Amino acid sequence: MGSRPGPRRNLRRVRELIPRPQSVAAAAANVWDRVNRGHLADLRRLPAAIIDEGPQRTVFRYHPQHRELVGPPVLLIPPLAAPALCFDLRRGCSLAEHLVSAGHPTYLLDYGAIAFGDRNLGIEHWIDEVIPGAVRAVSEDAEGEPVQLAGWCLGGIMSLLSVADDPELPVSRVAMIASPFDFTKVPMVAPLRPLVDLTGGLLGTVIYRALGGAPAPIVKRAYQLAGFDKYVTKPLAILQHLDDREFLAQLEAVDRFMNGMLAYPGRTFGQLYHRFFRANDLAGGHLELADRTIRLEDARVPVMSVAGTGDGIAPLPAVHAIGELLPNAPEVRLEAAPGGHLGVLTGRGARRTTWVLIESFLRAQSGVDGAGRHLRTAA
């Protein structure tokens, strides 16, 4: 028979359940601030100026914090349907803030809201017009320097496709975070594949055509389902962390992000559904479009891909599949960092993991001086 816990052990367990006075005071202060101030997180956006505008394209230049800028310009590329504030979630958990503080000339592409009238826009629009237009605007603003791209999820995929499709695009490197290239390795969609195959894809086609794409509420619910366990246990997590201001602030910032989800245009969503999900084109190293085939082997710039070890939307095997698809890239870095789909990009620990990887990759740009710094004076 096993021994029973002694009185001292039981007493210790009881004491662990009793909140410490410091925790009670911190929890009370957090609740007071949340109720009376309305928020705990510092949600101020990083100051920026618009340098270029076009259809589904607004390009911002973040105000530099240093007179001397480090390295070529960095353009942040968000995925479709997600608000661009994914790169500037809140003060202290903002990749944009981190890059600007490090002296990088940093820019942001924002697609803006997607309307029902945009339902005929296809992937070609983003690869041919939106991203290349933003890249050229940034390069021109940065005195003709080539641009380094950093894209999250679909933003990383479209960045790489744009570079592979146009060798003249002034891009020097591409960093991707949580960007999947083999959709057979995405557990979120695997259970749906037999149904899709049975109907020849017709069921999904009828739905997205009737809706004109994927409306914002559906996109939001899909993200929540991907992290269903965390979504369901969120109220309990809040109660358990009432004394943890940083934890509560992060939840608040993520809620704002989720509430800002946008829609996918109908034709673009259809192409994602048929070419990415059904045909799994990217795993074969190409993307079939109506007028051409984009081949990833045509990408000839250094590439880094960071996977989140806890990502349920883009798990590591799906993300790191890119490692076999870039035979002509001079360098391909496959990295992993803690976090889920959003957390690996901008979680509370990202500054010590993902951001360090990104910073190392950007500073490896050829042409830097012996100290690893390629300096340019801010305008």
Side-chain angles (χ1 to χ4, degrees), residues 2-313:
S3 60
R4 296 181 179 180
R8 290 185 178 179
R9 187 175 178 184
N10 287 332
L11 181 60
R12 187 166 58 250
R13 287 180 175 179
V14 171
R15 287 175 176 172
E16 289 174 353
L17 294 175
I18 300 174
R20 293 174 299 170
Q22 299 93 324
S23 296
V24 174
N30 291 336
V31 172
W32 174 268
D33 286 346
R34 185 68 176 85
V35 171
N36 289 278
R37 296 174 55 201
H39 62 87
L40 295 175
D42 186 346
L43 301 177
R44 292 174 298 158
R45 301 295 296 273
L46 207 61
I50 295 175
I51 66 160
D52 179 67
E53 289 184 286
Q56 290 76 47
R57 184 184 77 236
T58 302
V59 183
F60 295 88
R61 183 211 307 125
Y62 287 109
H63 294 173
Q65 296 180 4
H66 304 279
R67 181 63 179 170
E68 290 184 329
L69 302 180
V70 180
V74 181
L75 175 59
L76 303 175
I77 309 288
L80 296 174
L85 60 81
C86 59
F87 293 110
D88 190 23
L89 194 67
R90 66 181 177 97
R91 295 297 176 92
C93 279
S94 164
L95 175 58
E97 181 185 32
H98 174 81
L99 293 173
V100 170
S101 298
H104 292 280
T106 307
Y107 299 76
L108 173 71
L109 170 60
D110 190 338
Y111 308 122
I114 301 298
F116 184 78
D118 298 322
R119 62 188 180 279
N120 292 324
L121 297 176
I123 290 178
E124 299 89 344
H125 175 65
W126 316 98
I127 294 175
D128 294 349
E129 304 293 336
V130 177
I131 292 178
V135 167
R136 294 189 176 97
V138 169
S139 180
E140 181 179 352
D141 188 70
E143 303 173 4
E145 290 204 63
V147 180
Q148 303 179 107
L149 304 182
W152 175 52
C153 189
L154 183 58
I157 296 173
M158 294 196 305
S159 296
L160 189 59
L161 289 171
S162 297
V163 171
D165 190 49
D166 184 0
E168 302 301 319
L169 202 60
V171 172
S172 58
R173 19 188 79 220
V174 177
M176 301 182 294
I177 304 97
S179 299
F181 281 82
D182 186 348
F183 282 75
T184 65
K185 294 180 170 62
V186 177
M188 177 180 172
V189 298
L192 302 176
R193 191 170 294 279
L195 178 61
V196 170
D197 292 340
L198 181 65
T199 62
L202 182 61
L203 178 61
T205 302
V206 170
I207 294 173
Y208 76 71
R209 284 183 177 176
L211 297 174
I218 292 180
V219 175
K220 177 180 177 180
R221 291 292 177 263
Y223 270 83
Q224 290 174 336
L225 286 173
F228 184 72
D229 54 340
K230 294 181 180 179
Y231 180 64
V232 170
T233 60
K234 179 181 173 182
L236 178 60
I238 292 175
L239 289 175
Q240 291 176 332
H241 293 85
L242 275 180
D243 61 335
D244 188 339
R245 195 177 189 88
E246 275 292 296
F247 179 89
L248 298 176
Q250 186 73 358
L251 281 185
E252 184 183 321
V254 171
D255 283 344
R256 181 184 66 157
F257 168 80
M258 294 294 292
N259 290 333
M261 284 293 177
L262 306 168
Y264 280 102
R267 185 162 173 265
T268 295
F269 186 80
Q271 290 169 307
L272 295 176
Y273 172 65
H274 288 288
R275 304 316 315 172
F276 286 33
F277 172 46
R278 287 191 62 218
N280 201 26
D281 272 5
L282 295 180
H286 64 277
L287 175 63
E288 295 283 350
L289 298 175
D291 59 344
R292 67 193 186 279
T293 298
I294 300 177
R295 302 189 183 280
L296 294 177
E297 65 183 16
D298 293 330
R300 300 177 184 274
V301 300
V303 174
M304 180 178 73
S305 178
V306 182
T309 56
D311 194 338
I313 294 178

